[in-house]
Amino acid sequence: MKVRFDIKGIDCPHCAMDLQKKMCSLEPVKEATINFAIGSLVVDTHDECDEEELLDLMQQCADDFEDGISIDLRD
């Protein structure tokens, strides 16, 4: 299942890559891809999961990585 998010507050492309690697190591995540230029995060999960729970998990990961990053479900 792929879930798309908007992500804001990342300072540089290198930081985006580091955060992406951290997100890929999370349990339900098969792959996470951050596009720094357009502020996009796409998460592919191993199984079906609740989008709100996944959002909370991604936000917690971002908060642990660096202050000021916000992640929202894309409409």
Side-chain angles (χ1 to χ4, degrees):
M1 174 176 132
K2 286 191 179 184
V3 183
R4 289 166 170 64
F5 301 95
D6 292 319
I7 186 167
K8 298 175 186 164
I10 298 177
D11 296 335
C12 67
H14 180 72
C15 294
M17 286 178 44
D18 288 345
L19 178 56
Q20 178 178 296
K21 287 178 189 174
K22 187 172 182 177
M23 289 178 168
C24 285
S25 70
L26 298 172
E27 178 58 35
V29 177
K30 186 187 319 181
E31 182 177 9
T33 305
I34 296 176
N35 184 318
F36 174 76
I38 63 172
S40 171
L41 166 63
V42 178
V43 179
D44 191 6
T45 62
H46 290 288
D47 299 312
E48 294 292 319
C49 66
D50 182 75
E51 289 181 348
E52 290 295 329
E53 288 179 12
L54 184 60
L55 171 61
D56 290 343
L57 181 64
M58 295 296 104
Q59 185 64 61
Q60 183 179 10
C61 182
D63 291 344
D64 290 345
F65 180 77
E66 182 177 304
D67 290 335
I69 299 173
S70 65
I71 301 174
D72 298 298
L73 278 167
R74 182 166 286 173
D75 295 329

